[in-house]
Amino acid sequence: MKTLIINIKELLQVRDASILKVSGSEMAVLPTIKNAYLIIENDLIADFGSMEDLAEDLNPEKCIDVKGKMILPTWCDSHSHIVFAGNREHEFVDRINGLSYEEIANRGGGILNSVKKLNESTEDEIYTQSKLRLEEVIQLGTGAIEIKSGYGLTVAGELKMLRVIQRLSNDYPITIKATFLGAHALPTEFKDNRKGYIDLIIDEMLPEIAKNKLAHFIDVFCETGYFTVAETEEIIEAGIRFGLKPKIHVNQFNSIGGIQAGIKYNALSVDHLEVMTSQDIKSLKNTDTMPVALPSCSYFLSIPYTPAREMISAGLPIALATDFNPGSSPSGNMNFVVATACIKMKMTPEEAINAATINGAFAMEIANTHGSITIGKKANLIITKPISSYYQLPYAFGSNLIDTVMIEGKIIV
Ligand code: NIG
Ligand code: FE
């Protein structure tokens, strides 16, 4: 099946296949073609170029005229927890009334509240709730997503979550990467036995997950009150032995050395980074570890935003993701993430779009198939409504500017 799209006002994020991420000053450049065409063959981008150079003898099965509209690759959301049960709307109101996220967690709320809800729900109930979230984010332009476990914290609960992720991956056309986050919090039963829980992760959860091929990556919440740097290292080392690459939660509230642990184990990404020292920024230089910022979490919890300007000035790349979860970011809207990165983190529209596409793909190890308009990559496209320029995407932050989403060459309805 060959589809030709013509009269694209501007085709954004046009890249050569050799570009797998952009760093520092390169992030300010968003390569585009004005008045462009694009050819899709089956699920892949087959060709593109300027309308002036469009050959006449193409004979496509389908031709779409998108006059006035722009096209960009779909968002790559490299950090989410969209598989969960219920919600935490009462904690949201508790925070409005003065409690902090930390105080709520210390009272047994927070992550452990979602753990209780998840373990009380059946696999089918969790699947039914999670698929609605997945369908919503696809409509919002997400074409690849990473999803974490971490609300089970028992062998059965973690496996149940990972099976739901696997089922979503089988049932939906978008690319899904699964991350095992057994070390998300210490479950109540192990309150006085940290070693016992870490042993359970390493000796029981990991072998079962590896045997059933249920995860690609391993994650740890490395933070004061959660897991120490030494524990993080022990867990990611074990994950690596089972073939899982690390992607870790670090520096959300405190800088305790999690970034350096990630780099030591060649983590694919280090995520959150709301609290960054100059040493943390220095450590990330010239590494293959992608720093990932989660501005919806900063927005929702009223905590600092990742210091993107300092990091980009230091030559680092940045990826942007939603962190979609019931406690710190109950939104999976990448358009809002891009806008908030511009408005609050002072990233330019070009930097934010790079961070939410090619760099997001890199943080999921899928940059060779996703994240840019490149011949041979997946035909995962956002077709915008008619817009004056791509600045509209972050500028009109509350408007839905997406006309059509295409995943693997097919229009999503
Ligand atoms: O990335 N920080 C750790 N984990 C999630 C929040 C989980 C929750 O509150 O349920 C996060 O923000
Ligand atoms: Fe998270």
Side-chain angles (χ1 to χ4, degrees):
M1 167 84 180
K2 188 195 275 184
T3 305
L4 170 65
I5 307 181
I6 56 167
N7 295 324
I8 304 165
K9 181 167 175 171
E10 196 164 0
L11 182 61
L12 312 181
Q13 188 64 305
V14 173
R15 296 276 180 186
D16 190 80
S18 62
I19 304 293
L20 300 179
K21 66 172 175 181
V22 284
S23 308
S25 57
E26 297 160 358
M27 288 193 68
V29 181
L30 183 71
T32 76
I33 301 175
K34 288 189 171 144
N35 193 25
Y37 71 88
L38 180 96
I39 300 170
I40 299 168
E41 268 185 45
N42 302 319
D43 57 330
L44 302 178
I45 297 169
D47 199 7
F48 56 83
S50 167
M51 281 301 284
E52 287 160 21
D53 302 326
L54 181 62
E56 275 172 16
D57 55 349
L58 286 170
N59 302 321
E61 273 103 320
K62 194 170 157 191
C63 183
I64 309 173
D65 186 341
V66 294
K67 201 167 174 38
K69 301 171 182 178
M70 299 197 180
I71 291 185
L72 64 153
T74 49
W75 307 124
C76 294
D77 185 357
S78 67
H79 182 139
S80 92
H81 310 245
I82 73 164
V83 170
F84 58 86
N87 63 62
R88 303 227 298 273
E89 61 200 18
H90 289 97
E91 292 182 3
F92 166 59
V93 177
D94 288 343
R95 283 197 300 105
I96 294 173
N97 288 322
L99 285 182
S100 71
Y101 182 73
E102 236 177 330
E103 283 164 337
I104 291 168
N106 291 340
R107 293 176 173 201
I111 293 170
L112 294 182
N113 183 353
S114 292
V115 168
K116 188 165 175 284
K117 290 187 162 82
L118 186 120
N119 284 313
E120 287 167 357
S121 308
T122 66
E123 199 163 317
D124 278 342
E125 285 164 350
I126 300 163
Y127 175 82
T128 305
Q129 292 180 29
S130 304
K131 85 181 178 75
L132 293 177
R133 299 181 197 115
L134 188 66
E135 286 168 8
E136 184 194 7
V137 305
I138 295 171
Q139 293 292 348
L140 291 166
T142 295
I145 191 166
E146 179 259 18
I147 310 176
K148 301 174 195 294
S149 69
Y151 292 122
L153 310 189
T154 59
V155 179
E158 288 296 303
L159 288 169
K160 182 163 77 174
M161 284 190 80
L162 290 166
R163 281 195 302 268
V164 170
I165 300 172
Q166 190 178 54
R167 203 167 140 195
L168 292 170
S169 174
N170 291 337
D171 293 353
Y172 287 85
I174 82 167
T175 297
I176 295 180
K177 290 283 177 177
T179 299
F180 169 51
L181 176 56
H184 198 190
L186 202 64
T188 323
E189 317 81 90
F190 288 90
K191 206 166 77 237
D192 302 312
N193 182 13
R194 303 184 68 80
K195 186 174 175 327
Y197 185 59
I198 293 167
D199 287 347
L200 187 76
I201 291 176
I202 295 175
D203 300 334
E204 297 191 37
M205 295 183 189
L206 271 171
E208 206 53 39
I209 289 163
K211 192 176 88 193
N212 295 293
K213 295 196 168 49
L214 286 170
H216 303 99
F217 308 127
I218 183 152
D219 196 344
V220 177
F221 187 14
C222 179
E223 182 58 64
T224 309
Y226 293 85
F227 293 89
T228 66
V229 172
E231 290 165 346
T232 301
E233 293 197 354
E234 187 185 350
I235 295 162
I236 60 186
E237 242 179 62
I240 291 168
R241 283 200 298 278
F242 284 100
L244 309 183
K245 269 209 175 168
K247 272 174 82 64
I248 55 180
H249 281 74
V250 297
N251 292 48
Q252 183 177 5
F253 302 109
N254 300 282
S255 171
I256 60 171
I259 290 181
Q260 291 71 20
I263 292 165
K264 179 171 160 191
Y265 291 96
N266 200 21
L268 198 49
S269 68
V270 283
D271 303 37
H272 269 288
L273 316 178
E274 288 88 340
V275 176
M276 292 289 276
T277 66
S278 47
Q279 184 53 50
D280 290 330
I281 293 178
K282 232 190 197 159
S283 301
L284 281 163
K285 276 195 181 179
N286 305 317
T287 72
D288 291 328
T289 298
M290 178 63 70
V292 179
L294 310 167
S296 311
C297 172
S298 299
Y299 176 83
F300 191 68
L301 295 185
S302 301
I303 61 175
Y305 287 87
T306 301
R309 286 265 56 92
E310 274 174 67
M311 292 164 65
I312 293 171
S313 296
L316 298 183
I318 292 186
L320 288 166
T322 63
D323 198 17
F324 194 174
N325 77 77
S328 69
S329 173
S331 160
N333 189 342
M334 280 295 285
N335 307 284
F336 177 78
V337 165
V338 166
T340 307
C342 295
I343 296 162
K344 293 294 185 184
M345 294 160 64
K346 303 284 174 221
M347 289 174 75
T348 64
E350 292 80 5
E351 288 169 339
I353 293 170
N354 277 318
T357 56
I358 189 73
N359 284 358
F362 184 91
M364 290 187 269
E365 249 186 351
I366 54 168
N368 49 356
T369 49
H370 293 74
S372 62
I373 302 296
T374 302
I375 292 174
K377 282 198 182 183
K378 293 284 181 196
N380 282 11
L381 311 173
I382 293 174
I383 304 176
T384 69
K385 292 178 181 162
I387 49 176
S388 46
S389 84
Y390 62 76
Y391 292 174
Q392 283 284 329
L393 298 174
Y395 167 77
F397 70 94
S399 300
N400 179 1
L401 297 178
I402 297 179
D403 176 295
T404 305
V405 177
M406 217 183 232
I407 303 289
E408 300 197 349
K410 292 199 182 74
I411 291 173
I412 301 289
V413 279

